[in-house]
Amino acid sequence: GENVEQHPSTLSVQEGDSAVIKCTYSDSASNYFPWYKQELGKGPQLIIDIRSNVGEKKDQRIAVTLNKTAKHFSLHITETQPEDSAVYFCAASTPSGGSYIPTFGRGTSLIVHP
Amino acid sequence: DTGVSQDPRHKITKRGQNVTFRCDPISEHNRLYWYRQTLGQGPEFLTYFQNEAQLEKSRLLSDRFSAERPKGSFSTLEIQRTEQGDSAMYLCASSLSSGNTIYFGEGSWLTVV
């Protein structure tokens, strides 16, 4: 099955700095890569996603890049703000019987210091 | 609020007791997923339904766990003879059959004492 590795496990930055979280996946059949943000005591919320036919996608301060050859993808957050502090999860989805069941990384705890 | 709804949000139970969680998906979504999340880990897939049919189950879903979606709408996840290792957050998610994106609920926290 799919295996997703995520680094770093903890990331501490100053407000206004950029943050980068990196993930690798193992199954070359994976073709959809969502990123989720999880705040304490809540469920994961989708923040951005990318499909395998695209190399980069941007939404305001958030961008994702995908390198299919190397099987890695990254989340970039620019101009970080204290409210960006949360746990971020990457995931890779492999088609399975017509559905896409995401496999998640172990998460990155992002701390933005004011 | 038309998001995924889970109930109860928190449950404390004694070891050996049975517990049941309920999930109401987003109304037009015909796929429903259950995940488990322990502290410091990402969500781990348990099972998913398309309408009322349970199409895939993870090896994590031991025979003490059973999930149902009898009418293709809400789903229940029952854990029988709970063990301390079952303590976790149980997440429900839903999606369209035509879509890749799954949307999570707020989760149900289980503590087995």
Side-chain angles (χ1 to χ4, degrees):
Chain A
E2 178 62 274
N3 182 51
V4 177
E5 299 286 339
Q6 182 171 349
H7 300 280
S9 56
T10 305
L11 181 57
S12 184
V13 300
Q14 289 296 128
E15 182 177 1
D17 287 352
S18 295
V20 180
I21 301 170
K22 298 183 178 182
C23 291
T24 59
Y25 62 100
S26 60
D27 190 342
S28 56
S30 289
N31 58 7
Y32 173 66
F33 307 90
W35 286 86
Y36 289 82
K37 175 183 180 182
Q38 187 173 31
E39 296 175 341
L40 199 60
K42 296 189 175 183
Q45 298 293 308
L46 179 76
I47 55 171
I48 195 167
D49 55 17
I50 191 166
R51 286 166 172 77
S52 58
N53 58 345
V54 175
E56 185 173 354
K57 182 177 178 181
K58 190 172 181 181
D59 182 4
Q60 299 183 351
R61 297 185 295 109
I62 295 174
V64 291
T65 58
L66 171 65
N67 183 328
K68 281 196 65 182
T69 303
K71 297 203 200 82
H72 65 71
F73 56 116
S74 301
L75 177 72
H76 304 252
I77 306 174
T78 58
E79 300 170 26
T80 53
Q81 300 166 4
E83 51 265 38
D84 294 330
S85 296
V87 180
Y88 291 80
F89 293 97
C90 62
S93 288
T94 308
S96 172
S99 186
Y100 293 82
I101 300 173
T103 300
F104 287 81
R106 295 182 64 170
T108 296
S109 178
L110 174 64
I111 304 164
V112 180
H113 299 279
Chain B
D1 184 11
T2 56
V4 178
S5 176
Q6 293 189 244
D7 183 71
R9 293 292 318 279
H10 302 273
K11 178 73 177 178
I12 300 173
T13 191
K14 290 184 179 179
R15 190 174 50 186
Q17 297 294 305
N18 299 345
V19 296
T20 300
F21 299 111
R22 175 180 169 126
C23 172
D24 287 89
I26 294 170
S27 59
E28 65 269 25
H29 286 185
N30 55 0
R31 288 190 174 153
L32 187 148
Y33 308 76
W34 285 100
Y35 278 77
R36 182 179 74 183
Q37 186 178 23
T38 53
L39 213 58
Q41 302 291 322
E44 297 173 294
F45 171 74
L46 293 177
T47 189
Y48 98 93
F49 292 83
Q50 169 136 339
N51 300 313
E52 65 276 8
Q54 188 173 17
L55 295 186
E56 190 160 335
K57 292 194 284 187
S58 157
R59 288 172 298 174
L60 292 176
L61 207 70
S62 77
D63 55 7
R64 294 185 300 105
F65 287 66
S66 62
E68 294 182 346
R69 195 182 184 200
K71 297 181 181 178
S73 56
F74 73 91
S75 175
T76 57
L77 176 68
E78 182 184 18
I79 309 173
Q80 296 182 324
R81 305 181 303 280
T82 52
E83 301 172 356
Q84 286 189 321
D86 297 331
S87 296
M89 181 159 70
Y90 291 86
L91 289 162
C92 178
S94 69
S95 75
L96 293 167
S97 57
S98 58
N100 307 54
T101 306
I102 71 170
Y103 298 90
F104 285 94
E106 297 286 59
S108 291
W109 283 98
L110 173 65
T111 302
V112 182
V113 297

